[in-house]
């Protein structure tokens, strides 16, 4: 398949805006910069940032094992997802497919971009219904969003099901891997060569502990990345974000992910012991979804004791569920103590 055929013709006809800092950033040796109307007095951030984030991108490309022309960085995955809507979906004409229960931003961004969405529910095991999806696709369907590990359920989507979509659909398949660093599974980014319609989304907001700097990324076919680059705001990733991300990638994550995984196992074990907990769903992420006797009621009781969980009871197939982020060992003990006080 030719994924470039899915890109809106209008987007393919645009030229990227060339900003003043595009050509000479990083080649500061001996140059005098009087081109971008910056304040010449040094503040550490008086210059515009590199619009192509070359240093950070080269580090991330190595880290993720993808070529730089298959990687784009954005102001969180939110911006990346928005760019995808804007390159693929003609407002008021095209549509996308969502697989609930899943991450809420896909729907929000579809609405903002005035793109219709259809929903095909995950099955009882929170796996995707390939037949249902094949049946719901129309020739105006441009993207299917697969979140794996899925938020809020925590499970991985089985690889053979994702592969069936990639080979069986003439649409883009977006695999959102925000939680992949907590999962016992390889990233789909290893398989970009096989599937031109595969777009993998990752973020530094979860395992990397950098939610505050807003850095998300897409890994995809070079022509998809090129189209996204053509329409992104030139300075979408600010200087401070680039610096903090580079520092974190250079220093590494230490044992944080392992600690979270140990705590996840401990929490899951303990949660099973409470009589009002009906089910603890297996998790490949840094959170655990539990089914309780009364979701909204338990949510409020726990909130009254100072602990904020996420009530997911209103999500399709998630009646009476709470999503619990794995905290530090001390935070998790506090939660368990609060739960012990409940009737
Ligand atoms: C948290 C999360 C993200 C991350 O979004 P950012 O904008 O990068 O912080 C993306 N997708 C899913 C499914 C998430 O849960």
């Amino acid at each position: 398949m030719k994924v470039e055929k899915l890109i809106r013709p209008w987007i393919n006809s645009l030229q990227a805006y060339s900003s003043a800092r595009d050509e000479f950033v990083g080649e500061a040796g001996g140059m005098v910069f009087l081109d971008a109307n910056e304040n010449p007095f040094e503040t550490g951030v008086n210059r515009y940032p590199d619009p192509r984030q070359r240093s950070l991108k080269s580090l991330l490309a190595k880290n993720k094992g993808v070529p730089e022309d298959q990687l784009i960085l954005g102001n969180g995955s939110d911006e990346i997802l928005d760019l995808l809507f804007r390159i693929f979906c003609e407002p008021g004409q095209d549509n996308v497919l969502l697989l609930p229960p899943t991450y809420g931003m896909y729907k929000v961004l579809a609405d903002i971009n005035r793109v219709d969405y259809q929903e095909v529910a995950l099955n009882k095991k929170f796996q995707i219904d390939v037949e249902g999806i094949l049946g719901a696709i129309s020739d105006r369907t441009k993207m299917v969003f697969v979140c794996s590990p899925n938020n809020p359920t925590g499970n991985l989507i089985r690889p053979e099901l994702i592969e069936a979509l990639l080979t069986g659909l003439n649409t883009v398949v977006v695999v959102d891997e925000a939680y992949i660093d907590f999962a016992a599974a390889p990233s789909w980014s290893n398989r970009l060569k096989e599937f031109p319609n595969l777009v993998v989304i990752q973020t530094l907001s979860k395992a990397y502990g950098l939610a505050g700097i807003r850095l998300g990324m897409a890994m995809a076919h070079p022509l998809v990345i090129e189209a996204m680059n053509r329409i992104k705001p030139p300075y979408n990733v600010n200087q401070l974000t680039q610096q903090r991300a580079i520092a974190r990638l250079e220093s590494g994550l230490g044992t944080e992910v392992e600690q979270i995984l140990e705590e996840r196992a401990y929490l899951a074990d303990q949660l099973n012991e409470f009589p009002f907990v009906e089910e603890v769903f297996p998790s490949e992420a840094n959170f655990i979804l539990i089914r309780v006797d009364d979701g909204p009621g338990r949510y409020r009781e726990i909130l009254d004791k100072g602990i904020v969980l996420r009530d997911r009871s209103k999500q399709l197939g998630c009646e009476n569920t709470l999503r619990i982020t794995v905290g530090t060992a001390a935070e998790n003990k506090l939660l368990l103590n609060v739960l012990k006080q409940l009737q």
Side-chain angles (χ1 to χ4, degrees), residues 70-85:
Q70 295 197 261
L71 177 65
I72 180 170
L73 311 184
N75 186 357
S77 314
D78 292 346
E79 182 183 40
I80 292 293
L81 290 164
D82 188 54
L83 291 173
L84 287 172
F85 273 97

Side-chain angles (χ1 to χ4, degrees), residues 270-303:
Q270 298 290 307
L271 287 166
N272 264 311
E273 300 302 313
F274 294 96
F276 57 86
V277 175
E278 292 169 4
E279 188 159 8
V280 177
F281 292 95
S283 172
E284 298 270 353
N286 67 334
F287 57 82
I288 299 174
L289 189 75
I290 60 171
R291 178 163 277 134
V292 295
D293 52 356
D294 170 13
R298 294 299 180 187
Y299 169 78
R300 262 178 270 109
E301 284 182 310
I302 297 163
L303 184 64

Side-chain angles (χ1 to χ4, degrees), residues 12-52:
N12 269 334
S13 74
L14 296 175
Q15 283 285 325
Y17 168 69
S18 173
S19 62
R21 259 309 93 83
D22 216 7
E23 283 174 54
F24 297 105
V25 76
E27 299 172 22
M31 302 267 237
V32 177
F33 288 107
L34 303 178
D35 58 335
N37 301 345
E38 296 150 337
N39 179 328
F41 299 102
E42 195 56 55
T43 63
V45 285
N46 56 313
R47 300 292 175 185
Y48 280 99
D50 176 4
R52 296 188 230 171

